[in-house]
Amino acid sequence: MTNKDVDKKTEMMAGLTTFLTMAYIIAVNPSILSETGMPAGALVTSTCLGAAIGCFIMGLIADMPFALASGMGLNAYFAYTVVLGMGVSWEIALTAVFVEGIIFIILSLCKVREAVVNAIPKNLKLAVSGGIGLFIAFIGLVNCGLVVNNDSTLVSMGHFTPAVIITCVGLVITAVLSKKNIRGSILIGIVVSSLLAWGYALMNPEAAANLGIYLPGGVFKFESPAPIVNKIDFGYITHPDSMFQFITVLCTFLFVDFFDTVGTVVGVASKANMVDEDGKVKNVGRALLADAFATTIGSWLGVSTVTTYVESSTGVLEGGKTGYTAISVGVLFLIAMFFSPIFIAIPSCATAPALIYVGYLMLSAVKDIDFGDITEGVPAFMAIGGMALTYSIGDGLTLGVLSYVFINVLYNLIAKKEDRKHVSVVMIILAILFILKLWFM
């Protein structure tokens, strides 16, 4: 880390805010991965350890305010598709994640991932930031129950349950305090919402349980991670019959994690003013290398892909600008290993206000997009809409890149020489890779 003058109190507050918005992973990751037969107690500890080490690496190597933990979506793919669907053991699945991390370390050292990030045009970078904002706001609305599944219209408004009301109260408190320029407004919103939720659970535990609200089941608890640590097994890939299946699993992990991470880093960095006038993200190479190391170490600890979290944006918007924020998150994950019942009990309706409010703040990036230029505006729009509507940062980035390349290449074929736009070789290669992904995956 650099010795630049930073407000450590602000960084620590930002870290606490980020941690609270992503603390759900302490409960969710063990719940998903335990379906494979892995012990849930050990998974709680390894999830916290993997996240903490990832955050420390990010803070110390990259000096960036990005927090890491086992990625949602990737953990579901790990458990339900690879282990339960394909019949692959969880040890082999961890091996695929381990190899993925090694490949990412090599790609990061060769600056391949950095080249991809820097090749994304400025307007598309802003669109990624806005798209992530819309995406995480959508997650918040779904988590609290304000937006629900509808077989006829895909989604619709849910009932105003106590969980939804708690979220609305938290959002109003956060917005009003932010308007008054009170530091920690997002964190205060989470704390107030949690207390309201626990108060409701105290008064009506059965109804609260139906809404996913529970009182903390204690204060102190620690489980040994030993049953799942160092279970990497390369025996599977020595057999020709299983080699292709392993490669398929590995490629999916690689592709999804690569572009989800790129999208997250670009979007959060754009909002944190970490993009220079040439559209390049500062320290991006180190950030991606830290992410790769975290993936490798996490697999050794026994958890699915550790990746950069979009919830980092909550801390960034609370003033987090350096690695001190990431390190603060890491320390809190270490503490959570011993006090996990409290953090696990923070309900979705309490973190939803933070996600919705941060979504609003990140969406403001779209005001700087040049929508007057159709060749820039349409790809930006596809990326923004795609992230929320496909429920995937990676898929939204896919739509944005493909539309950018197709529109601009076709336009260059019919435009006058002086009006043609430069489309980088990296963007064209990305488009080809995305086409292959859509065709074969």
Side-chain angles (χ1 to χ4, degrees):
M1 288 180 60
T2 62
N3 293 320
K4 67 178 87 170
D5 185 27
V6 296
D7 184 346
K8 293 181 182 178
K9 184 178 179 181
T10 297
E11 299 283 331
M12 291 172 66
M13 181 68 74
L16 179 57
T17 301
T18 296
F19 172 76
L20 288 177
T21 59
M22 61 187 289
Y24 64 84
I25 197 65
I26 300 172
V28 175
N29 201 48
S31 173
I32 292 174
L33 296 186
S34 62
E35 296 285 333
T36 67
M38 302 172 77
L43 282 166
V44 170
T45 304
S46 286
T47 296
C48 291
L49 272 176
I53 293 172
C55 290
F56 292 151
I57 294 173
M58 181 65 73
L60 294 170
I61 291 180
D63 195 19
M64 300 283 262
F66 302 149
L68 299 89
S70 295
M72 288 297 295
L74 288 164
N75 53 7
Y77 176 76
F78 180 104
Y80 301 121
T81 301
V82 177
V83 179
L84 299 179
M86 298 182 181
V88 176
S89 71
W90 58 265
E91 292 90 347
I92 300 301
L94 286 175
T95 305
V97 176
F98 179 83
V99 175
E100 171 204 354
I102 297 297
I103 293 173
F104 277 158
I105 289 173
I106 295 170
L107 292 177
S108 297
L109 290 173
C110 295
K111 299 190 175 182
V112 173
R113 298 175 90 191
E114 183 177 351
V116 170
V117 171
N118 289 331
I120 298 173
K122 184 177 180 180
N123 281 299
L124 203 51
K125 280 189 172 77
L126 293 170
V128 169
S129 180
I132 288 176
L134 196 59
F135 174 60
I136 65 174
F138 185 50
I139 291 174
L141 292 169
V142 170
N143 284 353
C144 73
L146 188 56
V147 172
V148 297
N149 175 67
N150 186 300
D151 291 338
S152 300
T153 60
L154 299 183
V155 293
S156 60
M157 182 178 287
H159 298 294
F160 267 70
T161 62
V164 173
I165 294 171
I166 289 169
T167 294
C168 291
V169 171
L171 180 60
V172 169
I173 290 173
T174 300
V176 171
L177 294 180
S178 295
K179 179 65 176 178
K180 295 291 292 182
N181 296 317
I182 294 176
R183 278 217 178 270
S185 57
I186 297 174
L187 174 59
I188 293 171
I190 294 172
V191 172
V192 171
S193 298
S194 296
L195 292 175
L196 288 174
W198 291 338
Y200 177 64
L202 195 61
M203 293 185 294
N204 195 338
E206 186 175 340
N210 291 331
L211 297 173
I213 301 173
Y214 303 92
L215 287 169
V219 177
F220 176 85
K221 189 175 183 180
F222 178 80
E223 299 269 2
S224 171
I228 58 175
V229 171
N230 193 22
K231 299 297 182 181
I232 306 301
D233 180 7
F234 287 98
Y236 189 79
I237 59 177
T238 60
H239 302 289
D241 293 340
S242 56
M243 174 71 80
F244 179 76
Q245 189 178 42
F246 182 85
I247 292 175
T248 300
V249 171
L250 173 62
C251 287
T252 302
F253 275 131
L254 278 169
F255 214 95
V256 174
D257 188 27
F258 188 108
F259 292 104
D260 268 8
T261 299
V262 167
T264 300
V265 169
V266 168
V268 178
S270 298
K271 194 60 190 175
N273 295 320
M274 294 176 182
V275 179
D276 63 25
E277 54 207 27
D278 297 323
K280 294 184 178 181
V281 178
K282 301 171 184 176
N283 283 351
V284 67
R286 293 185 179 184
L288 294 171
L289 181 61
D291 183 275
F293 275 122
T295 293
T296 306
I297 294 170
S299 64
W300 184 84
L301 288 170
V303 291
S304 55
T305 306
V306 175
T307 188
T308 305
Y309 257 57
V310 67
E311 283 85 352
S312 302
S313 53
T314 59
V316 167
L317 292 166
E318 279 291 308
K321 298 182 182 301
T322 74
Y324 285 107
T325 295
I327 290 174
S328 297
V329 178
V331 170
L332 290 168
F333 267 112
L334 288 181
I335 294 172
M337 286 194 305
F338 301 95
F339 298 94
S340 57
I342 294 176
F343 296 110
I344 289 174
I346 297 175
S348 296
C349 63
T351 57
L355 296 176
I356 296 168
Y357 183 72
V358 169
Y360 147 73
L361 293 175
M362 292 194 71
L363 187 61
S364 65
V366 304
K367 71 180 185 300
D368 296 320
I369 296 174
D370 184 9
F371 283 109
D373 183 345
I374 293 175
T375 61
E376 297 283 335
V378 171
F381 172 75
M382 291 298 293
I384 293 168
M387 287 186 188
L389 299 178
T390 65
Y391 215 73
S392 167
I393 295 171
D395 288 344
L397 185 62
T398 297
L399 295 175
V401 168
L402 285 176
S403 56
Y404 183 90
V405 172
F406 285 144
I407 290 171
N408 282 284
V409 168
L410 181 58
Y411 174 74
N412 287 344
L413 292 175
I414 61 176
K416 296 178 181 179
K417 187 175 181 179
E418 61 271 17
D419 293 332
R420 292 173 186 169
K421 301 188 66 173
H422 173 69
V423 181
S424 72
V425 175
V426 175
M427 287 291 286
I428 293 173
I429 293 174
L430 276 181
I432 294 171
L433 290 174
F434 282 140
I435 292 171
L436 293 174
K437 171 212 170 188
L438 295 173
W439 185 267
F440 292 106
M441 297 184 184

